[in-house]
Amino acid sequence: MAKVLFVVSGATYLTLKDGTRYATGYWAEEFARPFKALTDAGHEVVVATPGGVTPNVDMMSLRPSMAGGEEGALELEAIIRSAEAMRRPIQVSDVRLEDYDAVFLPGGHGPMQDLCVDADVGRLLTAALASGRPLAIVCHAPSALLATRIHGESPFKGYRVTCFTNEEEAAVGLADKAQWLLEDELKEKIGVEFSRGPIWEPYTVEDRNLFTGQNPQSAAVLAERLLKELS
């Protein structure tokens, strides 16, 4: 069975344009669905965060309106509660990449606060890409690609990628409040070849060993793709 590293944001807020703090963290569905799919298949999941801090779930992602109803919200909560790995994360700086068969990054707005500027995360993603082993990143987590730049250049330049779109950011009411928009930053600062699907529908992109998903709805699809790669 495989060992999969989940690199999760440790942020509890996102600093907005006006300096106020927007409460956030990781998005429940984007952690829980892949975690359950992988562990149900017998794979081991290890969680790493910047500084080894315990990840904080974005409470909005556990609202029934965001989780596909009351039952869906309770199911996500139960998965998170049962995930022992979330309560004892290791530090990203302590990760030995050769110990893992794949790397996965769930989103939420948290990564736009910490993963995007974390040098250890940048080094880890650069090494993961070079390793040829599966690297799967969903929703806002591609913001971590911004940390891979050295003198303005990223090894992810030219890769086909998707992420949470400007249109989706506008739909949740943050497009005009955020300091920057992920879709724009990936195109302008990384130089990715960006593509997207309709908002709130599963959409994934594959390029070599890099697998990206557009939104929370894409997390389960990405997990299934990862399972195929690991089988």
Side-chain angles (χ1 to χ4, degrees):
M1 289 293 105
K3 195 172 177 182
V4 182
L5 180 72
F6 274 39
V7 180
V8 184
S9 170
T12 57
Y13 63 85
L14 174 66
T15 306
L16 301 178
K17 212 184 280 181
D18 63 1
T20 57
R21 292 178 170 188
Y22 173 80
T24 187
Y26 69 89
W27 199 257
E29 181 178 358
E30 296 171 31
F31 166 78
R33 297 284 176 227
F35 178 84
K36 187 175 190 314
L38 289 162
T39 54
D40 281 359
H43 301 303
E44 181 188 350
V45 169
V46 174
V47 171
T49 63
V53 301
T54 305
N56 178 71
V57 66
D58 186 323
M59 293 311 292
M60 194 188 289
S61 66
L62 289 172
R63 287 183 188 169
S65 60
M66 293 287 184
E70 195 72 46
E71 203 177 309
L74 290 171
E75 189 191 350
L76 292 178
E77 234 175 293
I79 295 166
I80 290 166
R81 262 204 311 273
S82 73
E84 189 59 41
M86 276 302 229
R87 288 188 282 283
R88 42 180 180 80
I90 62 173
Q91 296 188 53
V92 172
S93 57
D94 290 341
V95 168
R96 284 163 41 95
L97 189 62
E98 59 270 26
D99 294 343
Y100 300 94
D101 301 289
V103 176
F104 175 76
L105 280 72
H109 283 96
M112 287 179 66
Q113 185 72 25
D114 62 354
L115 302 189
C116 62
V117 291
D118 191 285
D120 293 315
V121 170
R123 280 191 287 272
L124 179 68
L125 292 189
T126 297
L129 189 69
S131 76
R133 292 190 290 275
L135 171 59
I137 314 178
V138 70
C139 200
H140 286 93
S143 59
L145 302 190
L146 295 165
T148 65
R149 290 172 295 165
I150 294 175
H151 306 305
E153 283 290 314
S154 167
F156 289 87
K157 182 179 181 177
Y159 271 74
R160 294 191 304 281
V161 167
T162 190
C163 72
F164 200 69
T165 61
N166 292 350
E167 192 183 351
E168 283 162 319
E169 207 68 87
V172 298
L174 276 182
D176 56 348
K177 295 176 185 167
Q179 294 188 53
W180 46 276
L181 295 174
L182 181 54
E183 179 186 328
D184 291 346
E185 293 287 284
L186 291 183
K187 290 176 186 169
E188 293 162 20
K189 298 201 171 154
I190 303 296
V192 301
E193 197 179 303
F194 185 80
S195 71
R196 52 161 290 183
I199 66 170
W200 314 131
E201 286 186 26
Y203 182 79
T204 59
V205 173
E206 296 177 26
D207 190 345
R208 288 154 276 186
N209 61 319
L210 178 65
F211 304 83
T212 50
Q214 179 175 317
N215 46 32
Q217 292 80 1
S218 308
V221 182
L222 213 53
E224 288 307 315
R225 190 65 192 83
L226 204 47
L227 279 172
K228 276 191 195 142
E229 286 291 307
L230 294 170
S231 64

